Amino acid sequence: MSTYKLAKSIIEKGNYEYADMMKKLDVFLLGERITLEQYNDLTGIMDTQQQPVE
């Protein structure tokens, strides 16, 4: 399974801490494990899952 598909699966299940996953995605992007388009897709999904803190 590709890095992108694995990360997307984890993100879609909500099984991650936001800050930790952002760090991992940054490393994947810098290491060319994912493309910029994939990075933007994954971070976009994460952003839509964020709930406002009250």
Side-chain angles (χ1 to χ4, degrees), residues 2-12 21 25 28 42:
S2 73
T3 301
Y4 170 75
K5 288 181 182 178
L6 183 58
K8 188 170 182 177
S9 175
I10 291 168
I11 291 168
E12 287 177 337
M21 184 57 75
L25 294 178
F28 294 155
L42 296 173

Side-chain angles (χ1 to χ4, degrees), residues 6 9 11 13 22 29 31 42 45 47-48 54:
L6 183 58
S9 175
I11 291 168
K13 291 177 184 176
M22 284 299 295
L29 180 61
L42 296 173
I45 294 168
D47 289 342
T48 61
E54 297 182 24

Side-chain angles (χ1 to χ4, degrees), residues 11 16-31 34 39 43 46:
I11 291 168
Y16 64 95
E17 293 290 330
Y18 186 88
D20 291 338
M21 184 57 75
M22 284 299 295
K23 289 178 187 175
K24 289 175 184 166
L25 294 178
D26 289 344
V27 170
F28 294 155
L29 180 61
L30 290 172
I34 60 174
Y39 176 87
T43 56
M46 289 170 55

